[in-house]
Amino acid sequence: MFTVDKVIGNTCQKDVPSISGKSQILFAIVYTTRYLDLLTTYISAYNTVMKIVFIAASYATVYLMYLKFKATYDQNHDTFRIEFLIIPAVALALLINHDFTVLEILWTFSIYLESVAILPQLFLVSKTGEAESITSHYLFALGSYRALYLLNWIYRYYVEDHYDLIAIVAGVVQTVLYCDFFYLYITKVLKGKKLQLPA
């Protein structure tokens, strides 16, 4: 969690945008395991560049939070135990996958893990009780990105007669996790209020 001290008159006020480093670590793991096919398969220059950008950006974010701006990252509130997400995702990937090969299991693991990678962020917001506007917009963008996958799957089913049950179920789980946040975002943040969770 980033904290910025503002001095107003004789009082000191803390501005808390509440970004979870744990969620950022999980996203770095997700993109690394999902895009290891970079080493074996070439699809297009665009595809390759975008995969590299996703991986590099996720590690750059982790670096900035934990090293470069370590002094402004408050780990006291970012306490979610990510092993409780990683271990079940590994187990599920080993049990339910399309093909029992290393790359396929890693891809499946990344799908399962991404569906719950936002939980440390949501836990952090619930623990602090509120989120600044920038954090709220960030969470909304993350949730919208995943919700748009639902439209992509509908399109691919009708146009290409293709569907991936593992990805669809994981995407639905992730979208459901965002539902309460979406409601609060629409009813509070879009009206110019700070996102505060009900007591």
Side-chain angles (χ1 to χ4, degrees):
M1 171 172 30
F2 292 102
T3 59
V4 179
D5 289 0
K6 292 180 180 176
V7 177
I8 302 174
N10 294 326
T11 65
C12 184
Q13 172 186 333
K14 290 208 175 204
D15 195 20
V16 186
S18 305
I19 301 296
S20 169
K22 301 282 184 79
S23 277
Q24 300 308 316
I25 289 170
L26 293 177
F27 283 120
I29 294 170
V30 164
Y31 298 132
T32 302
T33 53
R34 182 169 304 166
Y35 299 141
L36 279 178
D37 65 347
L38 277 170
L39 305 174
T40 60
T41 308
Y42 178 80
I43 297 171
S44 69
Y46 171 79
N47 183 276
T48 299
V49 168
M50 289 310 296
K51 287 178 178 180
I52 291 169
V53 166
F54 267 77
I55 294 169
S58 62
Y59 281 101
T61 303
V62 171
Y63 164 76
L64 290 171
M65 289 188 74
Y66 283 94
L67 298 173
K68 179 123 177 138
F69 299 111
K70 184 178 180 179
T72 62
Y73 171 61
D74 181 6
Q75 297 184 30
N76 294 331
H77 291 101
D78 195 14
T79 57
F80 193 95
R81 302 276 304 272
I82 60 175
E83 61 270 26
F84 293 148
L85 302 177
I86 293 171
I87 293 169
V90 169
L92 269 174
L94 290 169
L95 293 172
I96 305 170
N97 53 64
H98 295 305
D99 191 18
F100 203 79
T101 62
V102 172
L103 284 180
E104 185 63 31
I105 289 170
L106 288 172
W107 179 86
T108 307
F109 163 75
S110 78
I111 295 295
Y112 293 142
L113 186 61
E114 186 180 20
S115 71
V116 293
I118 198 61
L119 282 176
Q121 179 65 65
L122 296 175
F123 177 77
L124 175 58
V125 171
S126 71
K127 197 170 180 185
T128 59
E130 65 181 28
E132 294 297 318
S133 290
I134 189 70
T135 306
S136 302
H137 297 320
Y138 162 71
L139 283 170
F140 184 77
L142 274 179
S144 300
Y145 142 80
R146 195 60 185 177
L148 288 172
Y149 266 85
L150 299 175
L151 298 176
N152 176 55
W153 294 325
I154 292 168
Y155 171 82
R156 290 192 70 189
Y157 177 74
Y158 284 107
V159 173
E160 302 173 9
D161 197 29
H162 170 80
Y163 70 95
D164 185 327
L165 200 53
I166 289 173
I168 291 171
V169 170
V172 169
V173 167
Q174 186 173 11
T175 304
V176 167
L177 290 176
Y178 279 96
C179 284
D180 280 347
F181 171 78
F182 283 148
Y183 172 77
L184 290 172
Y185 183 85
I186 291 166
T187 58
K188 302 267 187 187
V189 180
L190 291 183
K191 294 181 179 178
K193 300 175 184 175
K194 184 183 285 189
L195 189 146
Q196 291 184 309
L197 300 180

